[in-house]
Amino acid sequence: MAAERLAEALRLLQDGQGSPAVAVAGAAALDVDGVAVSLGNEPGRTEVLWCSDDVSRGFEDLQLTLGQGPGPDCMVGGTTVRVPDLARVRHDRWPELVMEAPGLAARAVFCFPLRMGGIGLGVLTAVRRAPGPLTSGQSADAAILAAALTRYFLEGAGPARQERGPMRPQDPVTLPDPVNLPDPADPPDPLPFLHHAVVHQATGMVSVQLAVSLADALLRLRAHAYGSGRTVTDVSQDVVARRLRLASDAEPLPPAADKD
């Protein structure tokens, strides 16, 4: 059954039908409560492309708000980050995230990099409501899905994919020659709706309003969100709608989040 569900996720990518349905199929294939696919190569400046459910979406929003967590670590290190129980994470690893852990719907998080050689494209994140590790089979399936997503974003949805035969879970995922890779800064056009696009829009507005760099503007958005107990996405929506204007003496950023 797991192989059939994974095959469905791969089929969607093979047919160029990338959509939230891929995340839903991926969650079913991995037997987890939620899956999120994020694009980007810099912590704090990623886009959540697809989420399968509110649990995965909420966790991605929290990581963006705090600027820390397994997703950013996975992106920076380019390696898988496994957290079988968020409640047992050392406090000094992700201080703010650890403080929020008791109230989170997500209890276990597993992040797999979307990466080709030295090119980082994003992260595949699987979350569970209950603590516990992935099985070896689930980890292998997640690695296959991550490799297929990497190929999907590198190649786009054009004829190159249509010429290939259908992908099967047991088949190795062959990635393209890195010499002929398209520029990762110029992803397939058009991309579907990006969940955190409003954050970037608000960052630009705050940058202009306060005459600060984009990086500082994002830090101020995070600080306001953290201090008010809201997500950075919600705060950004208020900024873009002009319901909120940050003061020039915005509250300082929480200590650990400033390290990104």
Side-chain angles (χ1 to χ4, degrees):
M1 182 64 71
E4 293 176 0
R5 291 170 175 169
L6 180 59
E8 172 63 14
L10 298 181
R11 183 191 64 77
L12 291 170
L13 293 174
Q14 175 71 27
D15 294 344
Q17 300 177 25
S19 70
V22 174
V24 173
L30 302 180
D31 193 23
V32 295
D33 293 302
V35 160
V37 178
S38 302
L39 293 184
N41 55 16
E42 182 181 346
R45 298 184 64 83
T46 61
E47 293 284 7
V48 179
L49 188 61
W50 304 320
C51 287
S52 66
D53 68 323
D54 289 341
V55 176
S56 57
R57 182 176 293 105
F59 188 76
E60 292 299 321
D61 272 339
L62 180 62
Q63 288 192 114
L64 181 63
T65 299
L66 300 178
Q68 60 181 234
D73 281 12
C74 176
M75 184 168 295
V76 170
T79 57
T80 301
V81 178
R82 305 170 189 270
V83 188
D85 190 349
L86 281 169
R88 299 175 66 87
V89 173
R90 296 192 323 271
H91 183 272
D92 60 350
R93 186 175 187 183
W94 304 307
E96 279 72 39
L97 183 63
V98 170
M99 289 177 60
E100 299 289 338
L104 294 180
R107 284 293 306 276
V109 182
F110 310 92
C111 298
F112 297 79
L114 308 184
R115 193 173 187 87
M116 173 61 180
I119 300 175
L121 298 179
V123 176
L124 167 67
T125 301
V127 301
R128 275 182 170 162
R129 292 178 179 271
L134 294 179
T135 66
S136 58
Q138 289 169 324
S139 294
D141 287 348
I144 290 173
L145 182 57
L149 285 163
T150 301
R151 188 175 79 183
Y152 176 83
F153 293 122
L154 286 173
E155 292 185 345
R161 181 177 295 105
Q162 304 301 328
E163 293 172 358
R164 299 176 184 267
M167 295 168 63
R168 299 172 299 173
Q170 66 267 32
D171 290 341
V173 178
T174 304
L175 296 173
D177 183 347
V179 175
N180 298 315
L181 292 180
D183 185 349
D186 184 22
D189 186 30
L191 280 176
F193 171 74
L194 298 175
H195 181 63
H196 285 150
V198 69
V199 177
H200 296 309
Q201 186 177 356
T203 299
M205 291 176 64
V206 172
S207 174
V208 172
Q209 291 167 357
L210 303 184
V212 297
S213 68
L214 290 173
D216 285 343
L218 178 58
L219 294 182
R220 295 199 183 211
L221 281 171
R222 282 180 176 165
H224 186 91
Y226 186 80
S228 60
R230 304 173 66 199
T231 69
V232 73
T233 303
D234 288 341
V235 170
S236 296
Q237 288 171 343
D238 282 351
V239 170
V240 171
R242 304 186 188 282
R243 294 187 295 265
L244 172 67
R245 183 184 179 104
L246 300 189
S248 58
D249 58 348
E251 53 267 66
L253 189 74
D258 189 50
K259 295 179 182 179
D260 286 337

